[in-house]
């Protein structure tokens, strides 16, 4: 853990125009991805600091796996960002503020974590039989890039 990387994440959060959140992705002691919340600037609910930092790091490295990297975030990642962190296979996450701190600033992180323990919206499977051939097609594909 390097406090200088957290300071950079906090600096990005402080300068952000889209919400008070910043994040950096670090590999081998160097920042390879930076993100500052851009949700309200881009009108994009997925433009969280962690997501943007992950995207930049992946572009720089030319991969979608960041298994040798760490993420520093000014705040505990929301469920969406946590899912992206898991998909990116980051080694470790450090965060400063908690989801309760985010709630104190008026953000829904804590509520979303609670919602994940129960159905958040109506969901219903439709057309499974139409899509089921995709399983065999994908499994039989010789040129696929596994996740």
């Amino acid at each position: 853990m390097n406090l200088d990387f957290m300071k950079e994440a906090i600096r990005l959060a402080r300068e952000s125009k889209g919400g008070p959140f910043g994040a950096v992705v670090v590999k081998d002691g160097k920042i390879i991805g930076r993100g500052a919340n851009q949700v309200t600037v881009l009108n994009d609910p997925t433009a969280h600091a962690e997501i943007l930092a992950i995207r930049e790091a992946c572009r720089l490295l030319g991969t979608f796996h960041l298994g040798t990297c760490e993420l520093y975030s000014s705040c505990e990642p929301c469920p969406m960002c946590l899912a992206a962190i898991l998909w990116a296979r980051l080694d470790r996450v450090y965060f400063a503020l908690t989801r309760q701190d985010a709630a104190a600033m008026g953000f829904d992180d804590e509520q979303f974590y609670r919602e994940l323990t129960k159905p958040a919206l109506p969901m219903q499977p439709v057309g499974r039989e139409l899509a089921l051939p995709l399983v065999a097609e994908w499994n039989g594909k010789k040129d696929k890039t596994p996740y």
Side-chain angles (χ1 to χ4, degrees):
M1 198 285 298
N2 183 323
L3 207 51
D4 288 335
F5 297 135
M6 185 58 73
K7 288 177 183 176
E8 176 63 6
I10 292 168
R11 183 191 71 75
L12 290 166
R14 189 168 276 122
E15 294 179 1
S16 172
K17 303 215 182 323
F21 305 102
V24 296
V25 174
V26 176
K27 178 180 176 62
D28 299 328
K30 293 184 179 180
I31 294 175
I32 59 165
R34 286 179 169 80
N37 186 290
Q38 297 290 307
V39 169
T40 59
V41 174
L42 299 175
N43 292 317
D44 179 353
T46 69
H48 288 203
E50 297 90 341
I51 302 284
L52 298 176
I54 288 169
R55 287 176 182 165
E56 184 175 289
C58 287
R59 269 193 307 273
L60 180 74
L61 296 179
T63 184
F64 53 88
H65 277 186
L66 300 175
T68 59
C69 302
E70 300 174 331
L71 184 129
Y72 288 76
S73 179
S74 63
C75 191
E76 182 176 1
C78 74
M80 176 185 68
C81 291
L82 178 57
I85 288 163
L86 292 170
W87 276 109
R89 310 294 200 264
L90 284 151
D91 275 352
R92 182 172 298 233
V93 175
Y94 299 100
F95 61 88
L97 299 173
T98 66
R99 61 179 105 161
Q100 292 81 17
D101 296 321
M105 292 187 286
F107 293 92
D108 295 328
D109 303 49
E110 180 66 21
Q111 175 188 340
F112 291 153
Y113 270 102
R114 283 193 309 269
E115 290 295 323
L116 287 176
T117 64
K118 59 184 178 183
L121 67 151
M123 292 178 45
Q124 173 181 339
V126 175
R128 181 174 183 263
E129 64 282 347
L130 298 173
L132 205 51
L134 289 172
V135 175
E137 290 168 20
W138 177 257
N139 287 339
K141 195 171 169 65
K142 301 293 184 219
D143 62 343
K144 66 183 171 192
T145 302
Y147 283 40

